[in-house]
Structures are given as C-alpha cells and as structure tokens.
Amino acid sequence: MIVVTGATGNVGRPLVELLAAAGEEVTAVSRRPAEGLPAGVTHRQGDLADVDGLKELFEGAEAVYLLVAGLGEELRPDEIVAAAVACGVRRIVFQSSQLVGTRPASASHAVLRAFETAVRGSGLDWTVLRPGGFASNAYLWAEGVRSARTVAAPFADVALPVVDPLDIAGVAAAALRDPGHAGRTYVLTGPAAVSPREQVSSLAEALGTPVEFVAQSADEARAFLVRFLPAEAVDGMLSVMGDPRAEERRVSTDVERVLGRAARPFSAWAERNAPAFA
C-alpha cells in the first residue's frame, strides 16, 4: 500500500490518480475532506503536525509520499520520519525544493532541509525530488484573467524552466513503485526557460483571446502575494524570480531520465488548465 500525503494538491491529486490507474493500493491523506478521488482509493483525513496520529496514517504502508504544505514551520521532521519507520514503511519519496540545493542558507526552506536530512538518515529506501518553480503558480493570475483579461506580474522577461506538476507526479509515481530510484535526488524542471510575459502569451493562445500583460514592481507583487502565502516564502520566491542563479535557470534532464520522455512545456499546462482562466 502507498500513502500519499497532500493528496488533494497540484501534485498529490494527479499522483493518486496515476498510482490508482497503475493498479496500486493507495491511501490518500489530506487535512480536509477530499472529493473526486479514483474508485478504490482510501481517504484518511490527517495532518503531519499531529505526530500522535501518524500511526493511523502510515500503518500498513510500504511506501509514503511525503509532501509538506507551506513552510512546514509547525512540523517535526525527525519525529515524522521516525513514525514512518516504526510503522514498517520501507520507502519514502520526499518532495523538497530546488532551492534547498541552490540556496542552502534560505530561512524559508530550513524545514525542507531538515526533512531531507531525516529521510536520508532513516535507514529506508529514499528518493528526494527537488522541483523548481511550478507552472501551476500561474493560478494566481486566474482571477485577473477571468475578470479583465489582464495579468499583472513582476520580472516580465526573466525566464525560468517552470515544471508541470503532472511531471512531478509522474516522477513520484515511478520512485514510489520502483526501488531502482532509491538513493537518488532528482531536480525537476520544465524543458525550457519561459518568462512571465511568455507564460501569459501561452495562456492567451490556450484561451483563444488576448490577455494583456501589465508589468508590476517587486513591491506591488509582494503586497499581492502575502495575501496568499507566508511572507518568508514570498520573499524567497521573488528573489528567485528577479535574480535567479545559474543553476535555477538551467534545464534539468531528470524528468526525461525517469519518464523516458521530455518534460511538458508551460504551453501544455496552459492548454490543459485553460478552463480555470476562462
């Protein structure tokens, strides 16, 4: 049995669907009730912050997909991983972040670094996924596109190889099912760097209607984003978006290496998710 935490999110939901379609026994864990899960998938409501409740979540699992919501400041990585070990889990796939490698002093990613350390020292088979920026961050533009066919964003022409969450889910499914991925750390990106202006152009093409791009200052962007995200996470995000390091601009081939095909471009994500912006 495979446990997927964060099972209703942009990565967790398609991961549950991929595993179920492959015939795996899946338990989907989320903090809130879940609807629309595939037939045969068991749902458990739970929170990684509740260490005492982890036995109920992990019991009977051979493998666990470990995903941390937000900054994870309230979590205790060593105790969470120890609970998985105590329940007989044999394999952990942990969703970390590219920034753990490229910005090791980043305060906003301290918990992810601690989880990586705990997972690697657990004695279990482990795989760490380090995705770059998510294509699905474009959902933050949905309201403006729906109401005014406008996107306001900073750093208009700074390009980064954002990754489709469906590709993260595909790599996660492979790592959960195949022990040959044990001991690996995969950096997951899209196939090409794409700027915010180019992303908006792809959305407009997918919608079949013009969408205006409005350049935003970093301060304006921060004031908007802190309505949805912790301030530390926003500051880290804007730092990468505005002044990316060479490694953060670089396209990784790890998605292709694991899945045997090229990573999906942002335009494919836009086409698949156009209804959210219509």
Side-chain angles (χ1 to χ4, degrees):
M1 188 263 284
I2 299 173
V3 167
V4 177
T5 66
T8 57
N10 290 319
V11 175
R13 185 173 288 276
L15 174 56
V16 168
E17 293 170 353
L18 287 170
L19 293 172
E24 299 289 350
E25 181 185 356
V26 183
T27 295
V29 175
S30 64
R31 291 182 292 182
R32 300 178 184 84
E35 297 179 357
L37 294 174
V41 171
T42 299
H43 178 257
R44 291 178 184 164
Q45 198 165 338
D47 192 328
L48 292 176
D50 177 19
V51 174
D52 292 337
L54 293 180
K55 181 178 180 181
E56 182 180 348
L57 301 183
F58 294 157
E59 196 70 54
E62 178 177 347
V64 171
Y65 190 68
L66 201 54
L67 186 151
V68 176
L71 296 180
E73 293 173 314
E74 75 285 6
L75 301 181
R76 292 171 279 177
D78 289 335
E79 294 183 30
I80 292 168
V81 172
V85 173
C87 288
V89 171
R90 296 171 57 189
R91 185 177 308 141
I92 291 180
V93 177
F94 175 59
Q95 182 178 309
S96 185
S97 167
Q98 183 186 31
L99 271 65
V100 172
T102 61
R103 301 185 184 229
S106 168
S108 62
H109 290 74
V111 172
L112 296 185
R113 287 195 295 274
F115 265 107
E116 286 198 15
T117 299
V119 166
R120 290 190 174 101
S122 65
L124 306 180
D125 286 348
W126 58 264
T127 307
V128 170
L129 308 186
R130 288 181 171 177
F134 283 30
S136 54
N137 288 343
Y139 280 136
L140 290 168
W141 301 336
E143 183 180 349
V145 175
R146 288 194 299 263
S147 63
R149 290 293 185 260
T150 299
V151 167
F155 315 119
D157 299 306
V158 179
L160 291 167
V162 296
V163 61
D164 191 324
L166 191 54
D167 282 342
I168 303 173
V171 173
L176 287 163
R177 301 183 70 214
D178 181 355
H181 297 285
R184 305 289 182 88
T185 298
Y186 293 123
V187 175
L188 308 181
T189 72
V194 56
S195 69
R197 195 189 304 276
E198 291 168 331
Q199 292 177 42
V200 172
S201 178
S202 291
L203 283 170
E205 185 174 350
L207 289 165
T209 187
V211 177
E212 181 184 5
F213 183 91
V214 177
Q216 203 177 37
S217 72
D219 287 342
E220 289 169 335
R222 188 182 191 281
F224 172 74
L225 291 169
V226 293
R227 295 160 49 194
F228 310 99
L229 301 167
E232 278 190 353
V234 170
D235 291 338
M237 179 188 301
L238 292 175
S239 177
V240 175
M241 291 172 61
D243 187 22
R245 296 177 179 176
E247 310 98 295
E248 293 158 357
R249 293 178 182 266
R250 189 175 300 129
V251 171
S252 168
T253 59
D254 284 351
V255 169
E256 185 170 5
R257 183 176 295 115
V258 174
L259 299 182
R261 58 160 177 80
R264 293 175 172 88
F266 179 84
S267 57
W269 181 91
E271 184 173 350
R272 195 172 72 247
N273 293 281
F277 297 82

